[in-house]
Amino acid sequence: MTTVPDHSPFSSPFSGEGPSIGIALSHGFTGSPHSLRSWAQSFADAGFAVRMPLLPGHGTTWQELSRSRWPQWHDAMDAAYLELESECDLVFAAGLSMGGALALRIAATRPVAGAIVVNPGLVIDDRRAPLAGVLKLVLKSTPAIANDIRKQGVDEGAYPRTPVAAAHELNKMFKDTVRLLPRITAPVRVFRSTVDHVVSDTSITALRRGLIHAPLQLTRLDNSYHVATLDHDADQIFSGSVDFIRSVVTDGHHGSADSATASQKGATDE
């Protein structure tokens, strides 16, 4: 039985004890909240407030995505953060793929307590990427990048085509986000699939180089592809994310001076 993708936003109030914690969560390029709904629910089950918007141009048609611009995606994630900031003591940013880049942007521009990213995209390796601004005038779309999932029978509900104009916007956002990485001081937790057919290790290298003032903890996922939040290692991501948040809150190193002194020398791989 095939499950119909649920593209709707996700929102949940804080229901835990102690300091109130919020999670601003973002899905990836051409995808929707469907790919992260179980992750969002795991945060809600832990008592955290959650806001996961449907990014502009997503969850409808790839033609609509082709008309959107990357600042709109950022603004949607930023609005989720600001809503949580008004309600919570501490706010974390999290995301998958392009959503990971958006989470890192929020971490660079807002006083987040920490960031959690799954297979974050920061670099497009396709040699056509620099030409996308011209190609979009003659080529409207390319084959989909969806459903890079090792687990059989799972559909992330992403678009069947990738709009070239939106890919051009994505490339611009990635470059601007890499520029902002040195501003991040809050701890960053990365979950990285050992096999990923969408985002290469070039993005992880860019992340390591850019986080010169933030501690980085990286966990390898050996049984998942790109959309790891729907794959075999999903439970590891969910429990590891909650553990990370609780450890940051307990240690009190959320964007503090202690965090700012940490560098890539302190980065760890699990």
Side-chain angles (χ1 to χ4, degrees):
M1 180 178 178
T2 302
T3 302
V4 177
D6 182 356
H7 302 310
S8 62
F10 183 98
S11 179
S12 180
F14 178 76
S15 61
E17 298 179 355
S20 55
I21 298 167
I23 315 294
L25 188 60
S26 177
H27 63 79
F29 183 63
T30 79
S32 80
H34 177 73
S35 62
L36 300 186
R37 195 162 300 278
S38 294
W39 194 16
Q41 187 61 56
S42 73
F43 286 133
D45 290 344
F48 307 146
V50 183
R51 298 292 185 279
M52 177 171 58
L54 172 63
L55 301 180
H58 293 77
T60 54
T61 65
W62 68 261
Q63 290 90 344
E64 182 172 341
L65 179 58
S66 70
R67 294 187 289 270
S68 66
R69 299 293 179 263
W70 76 259
Q72 295 176 279
W73 310 332
H74 167 82
D75 289 349
M77 181 63 164
D78 196 48
Y81 168 85
L82 291 174
E83 183 177 337
L84 288 166
E85 185 185 45
S86 69
E87 303 172 3
C88 300
D89 298 317
L90 300 170
V91 181
F92 290 76
L96 164 72
S97 194
M98 178 187 79
L102 289 173
L104 292 167
R105 288 187 65 82
I106 299 301
T109 56
R110 300 292 185 183
V112 303
I116 309 167
V117 293
V118 178
N119 294 324
L122 289 169
V123 179
I124 298 178
D125 293 317
D126 193 322
R127 287 178 290 183
R128 297 171 296 177
L131 305 175
V134 175
L135 288 175
K136 69 179 183 180
L137 302 177
V138 295
L139 182 65
K140 298 301 181 183
S141 68
T142 58
I145 58 173
N147 288 332
D148 187 33
I149 304 171
R150 185 170 186 174
K151 193 174 185 179
Q152 295 296 310
V154 179
D155 182 3
E156 67 169 308
Y159 288 148
R161 302 288 296 179
T162 300
V164 175
H168 179 50
E169 293 296 313
L170 180 68
N171 192 41
K172 290 191 292 184
M173 189 196 79
F174 279 177
K175 288 183 177 181
D176 192 64
T177 301
V178 169
R179 176 183 65 83
L180 295 176
L181 291 177
R183 298 185 185 182
I184 299 174
T185 59
V188 177
R189 183 80 147 93
V190 181
F191 292 93
R192 174 61 178 159
S193 297
T194 55
V195 178
D196 185 333
H197 303 98
V198 177
V199 171
S200 77
D201 282 337
T202 305
S203 288
I204 302 302
T205 299
L207 181 59
R208 287 184 181 276
R209 289 175 177 172
L211 291 184
I212 58 176
H213 299 300
L216 167 66
Q217 182 179 1
L218 188 148
T219 296
R220 295 287 179 181
L221 306 174
D222 296 326
N223 201 25
S224 297
Y225 293 159
H226 182 65
V227 191
T229 50
L230 290 177
D231 220 325
H232 294 291
D233 295 309
D235 287 342
Q236 182 180 352
I237 296 171
F238 303 162
S239 61
S241 298
V242 172
D243 289 345
F244 169 75
I245 290 169
R246 288 175 172 161
S247 68
V248 169
V249 173
T250 300
D251 294 342
H253 289 170
H254 33 85
S256 65
D258 288 338
S259 294
T261 59
S263 69
Q264 290 308 289
K265 294 180 182 179
T268 60
D269 286 13
E270 294 180 349

